[in-house]
Amino acid sequence: MTDQRPQYGELATPEEQRRAAGLPPLSEVAPPPPPMTPVPSSVEAAGPKRAHPVDRFATIGLLAYGLVNIVITGLSYLDLPQVMNQTMDILGIEGEFTNFAQGRVWGTVAAIVLAVGWAITAALSIRRLRSGRLAWWVPIVGAVVTMGVVTACIAVPMMNDPAFVSYLTSVAK
């Protein structure tokens, strides 16, 4: 019997390699199925969405405006009795704001609410910008919600001030 294996230095064909490994010939084996590659959906094929540059500009502009606004307004709320006196003068209310203790406490709370509200709004806006979604509306909604809470904080000392309550009762008559 002759040795059908390749000799030293000879190259073995794929058929000879299979026979030496004890595998059946290629003619008896079904070809393997081609590898499956996932077909990207239309969203994946387009890649990550990018926000429109106008949206980015508007969002950043609104956040910058809001930051300037909360710095100026927040500092004035730290001296809420002075702000209340000016407001009463503008509204034509006679007398002065005298609820100083609550005015200082609730003015500080209002200033903190302004800062926290802006920080949350900025974080949500940046998150939407990074994900490529429209974000221009987030600073507007954040400002409305924050100012609603701040208004409630300011209303507490105002509604407990005798001069303001007197004005309300005179208007209600």
Side-chain angles (χ1 to χ4, degrees), residues 79-82 84-85 88 95-107 153-165:
D79 187 19
L80 191 64
Q82 177 66 26
M84 288 296 157
N85 277 330
M88 290 169 69
E96 289 190 11
F97 183 79
T98 57
N99 194 2
F100 295 111
Q102 280 190 345
R104 286 199 175 89
V105 169
W106 285 101
C153 293
I154 299 301
V156 172
M158 184 182 275
M159 295 306 251
N160 289 317
D161 182 64
F164 189 75
V165 172

Coordinates of all heavy atoms in Angstrom, one line a residue, residues 79-82 84-85 88 95-107 153-165:
D79 N -33.3 90.3 48.9 CA -33.8 91.5 49.6 C -35.3 91.7 49.2 O -35.6 92.7 48.7 CB -33.0 92.7 49.3 CG -33.3 93.9 50.2 OD1 -33.9 93.7 51.2 OD2 -33.0 95.1 49.8
L80 N -36.1 90.7 49.5 CA -37.5 90.7 49.1 C -38.3 91.9 49.7 O -39.2 92.4 49.0 CB -38.2 89.4 49.4 CG -39.5 89.2 48.8 CD1 -39.4 89.1 47.3 CD2 -40.2 87.9 49.3
P81 N -38.1 92.3 50.9 CA -38.9 93.5 51.4 C -38.7 94.7 50.5 O -39.7 95.4 50.2 CB -38.3 93.7 52.8 CG -37.9 92.4 53.3 CD -37.3 91.7 52.0
Q82 N -37.5 94.9 50.0 CA -37.3 96.1 49.1 C -38.1 95.9 47.8 O -38.7 96.8 47.3 CB -35.8 96.2 48.8 CG -35.5 97.3 47.8 CD -35.8 98.7 48.3 OE1 -35.9 98.9 49.5 NE2 -36.1 99.6 47.4
M84 N -40.8 94.1 47.4 CA -42.2 94.2 47.7 C -42.6 95.7 47.8 O -43.7 96.0 47.4 CB -42.6 93.5 49.0 CG -42.5 92.0 48.9 SD -43.8 91.5 47.7 CE -43.2 89.9 47.2
N85 N -41.8 96.5 48.4 CA -42.1 97.9 48.5 C -42.2 98.5 47.1 O -43.1 99.3 46.8 CB -41.0 98.7 49.3 CG -41.3 98.6 50.8 OD1 -42.5 98.5 51.2 ND2 -40.3 98.6 51.6
M88 N -45.4 97.3 45.5 CA -46.6 98.0 46.1 C -46.7 99.4 45.5 O -47.8 99.9 45.3 CB -46.5 98.0 47.6 CG -46.8 96.6 48.1 SD -46.4 96.3 49.9 CE -47.7 97.3 50.6
G95 N -48.9 102.4 51.9 CA -48.3 101.7 53.0 C -47.0 101.1 52.5 O -46.6 101.2 51.3
E96 N -46.4 100.4 53.5 CA -45.1 99.8 53.2 C -45.2 98.3 53.6 O -46.0 97.9 54.4 CB -44.0 100.4 54.0 CG -43.6 101.8 53.5 CD -42.3 102.3 54.1 OE1 -41.6 101.5 54.8 OE2 -42.0 103.5 54.0
F97 N -44.3 97.5 52.9 CA -44.3 96.1 53.3 C -43.6 95.9 54.6 O -42.5 96.4 54.9 CB -43.4 95.4 52.2 CG -43.3 93.9 52.4 CD1 -44.4 93.1 52.0 CD2 -42.2 93.3 52.9 CE1 -44.3 91.7 52.2 CE2 -42.1 91.9 53.1 CZ -43.2 91.1 52.7
T98 N -44.3 95.3 55.5 CA -43.8 95.1 56.9 C -43.5 93.7 57.3 O -43.0 93.5 58.4 CB -44.8 95.8 57.9 OG1 -46.0 95.1 57.7 CG2 -44.9 97.3 57.7
N99 N -43.8 92.8 56.5 CA -43.6 91.3 56.8 C -42.1 90.9 56.5 O -41.9 90.1 55.7 CB -44.6 90.5 56.0 CG -44.7 89.1 56.6 OD1 -44.1 88.7 57.5 ND2 -45.5 88.3 55.9
F100 N -41.2 91.6 57.2 CA -39.8 91.4 56.9 C -39.3 90.0 57.2 O -38.5 89.4 56.4 CB -38.9 92.4 57.7 CG -39.2 93.8 57.4 CD1 -39.8 94.6 58.3 CD2 -38.8 94.3 56.2 CE1 -40.1 96.0 57.9 CE2 -39.0 95.6 55.8 CZ -39.7 96.4 56.7
A101 N -39.7 89.3 58.3 CA -39.1 88.0 58.6 C -39.5 87.0 57.5 O -38.6 86.3 57.0 CB -39.7 87.5 59.9
Q102 N -40.8 86.9 57.1 CA -41.2 86.0 56.1 C -40.6 86.4 54.7 O -40.3 85.6 53.9 CB -42.7 85.9 56.0 CG -43.3 85.0 57.0 CD -44.8 84.8 56.7 OE1 -45.4 85.5 55.9 NE2 -45.3 83.8 57.4
G103 N -40.5 87.7 54.5 CA -40.0 88.2 53.3 C -38.6 87.8 53.0 O -38.2 87.3 51.9
R104 N -37.7 87.8 54.0 CA -36.3 87.3 53.9 C -36.3 85.8 53.6 O -35.5 85.3 52.8 CB -35.5 87.8 55.1 CG -35.2 89.2 55.0 CD -34.1 89.6 55.9 NE -33.8 91.0 55.8 CZ -34.3 92.0 56.5 NH1 -35.2 91.7 57.4 NH2 -34.0 93.2 56.3
V105 N -37.0 85.1 54.4 CA -37.0 83.6 54.3 C -37.5 83.2 52.9 O -36.9 82.4 52.2 CB -37.9 82.9 55.4 CG1 -38.1 81.5 55.2 CG2 -37.2 83.2 56.8
W106 N -38.7 83.7 52.5 CA -39.3 83.2 51.3 C -38.6 83.8 50.1 O -38.6 83.3 49.0 CB -40.8 83.6 51.3 CG -41.5 82.6 52.1 CD1 -42.0 82.8 53.4 CD2 -41.9 81.2 51.8 NE1 -42.6 81.6 53.8 CE2 -42.5 80.7 52.9 CE3 -41.6 80.4 50.7 CZ2 -43.0 79.3 52.9 CZ3 -42.1 79.1 50.7 CH2 -42.7 78.6 51.8
G107 N -37.9 85.0 50.3 CA -37.1 85.5 49.2 C -35.9 84.6 48.9 O -35.6 84.4 47.7
C153 N -43.9 81.0 46.1 CA -43.0 81.4 47.2 C -43.1 82.9 47.6 O -43.1 83.2 48.8 CB -41.6 81.1 46.8 SG -41.2 79.3 46.7
I154 N -43.2 83.7 46.6 CA -43.3 85.2 46.8 C -44.7 85.5 47.4 O -44.9 86.5 48.1 CB -43.1 85.9 45.5 CG1 -41.7 85.6 45.0 CG2 -43.3 87.4 45.7 CD1 -40.6 86.0 45.9
A155 N -45.7 84.8 47.0 CA -47.1 85.1 47.4 C -47.3 84.8 48.9 O -48.1 85.5 49.6 CB -48.1 84.2 46.7
V156 N -46.5 84.0 49.5 CA -46.7 83.7 50.9 C -46.4 84.9 51.8 O -47.3 85.3 52.6 CB -45.7 82.5 51.4 CG1 -45.8 82.3 52.9 CG2 -46.2 81.2 50.7
P157 N -45.3 85.6 51.7 CA -45.1 86.8 52.5 C -46.0 88.0 52.1 O -46.5 88.8 52.9 CB -43.6 87.2 52.4 CG -43.2 86.5 51.1 CD -44.0 85.3 51.0
M158 N -46.3 88.0 50.8 CA -47.2 89.1 50.3 C -48.6 89.0 50.9 O -49.2 90.0 51.3 CB -47.2 89.1 48.8 CG -48.0 90.2 48.2 SD -48.0 90.2 46.4 CE -46.5 90.9 46.0
M159 N -49.1 87.8 50.9 CA -50.5 87.6 51.4 C -50.6 87.7 52.9 O -51.7 87.8 53.5 CB -51.0 86.2 51.0 CG -51.2 86.1 49.5 SD -52.1 87.4 48.8 CE -53.6 86.5 48.4
N160 N -49.5 87.7 53.6 CA -49.4 87.9 55.0 C -49.0 89.3 55.5 O -48.8 89.5 56.6 CB -48.5 86.8 55.7 CG -49.1 85.4 55.6 OD1 -50.3 85.2 55.8 ND2 -48.2 84.5 55.2
D161 N -48.9 90.2 54.5 CA -48.6 91.6 54.8 C -49.8 92.4 55.0 O -50.8 92.3 54.2 CB -47.7 92.2 53.7 CG -47.3 93.6 54.0 OD1 -46.5 93.8 55.0 OD2 -47.8 94.5 53.3
P162 N -49.9 93.1 56.1 CA -51.2 93.9 56.4 C -51.5 94.9 55.4 O -52.7 95.0 55.0 CB -50.9 94.5 57.8 CG -49.8 93.8 58.4 CD -49.0 93.2 57.3
A163 N -50.6 95.6 54.8 CA -50.9 96.6 53.8 C -51.4 96.0 52.5 O -52.4 96.5 51.9 CB -49.6 97.4 53.5
F164 N -50.9 94.9 52.1 CA -51.3 94.2 50.9 C -52.7 93.6 51.1 O -53.6 93.7 50.3 CB -50.3 93.1 50.5 CG -50.7 92.6 49.1 CD1 -50.4 93.3 48.0 CD2 -51.2 91.3 49.0 CE1 -50.7 92.8 46.7 CE2 -51.6 90.8 47.7 CZ -51.3 91.5 46.6
V165 N -52.9 93.0 52.3 CA -54.2 92.4 52.6 C -55.3 93.5 52.6 O -56.4 93.4 52.1 CB -54.2 91.6 53.9 CG1 -55.6 91.2 54.3 CG2 -53.3 90.4 53.7

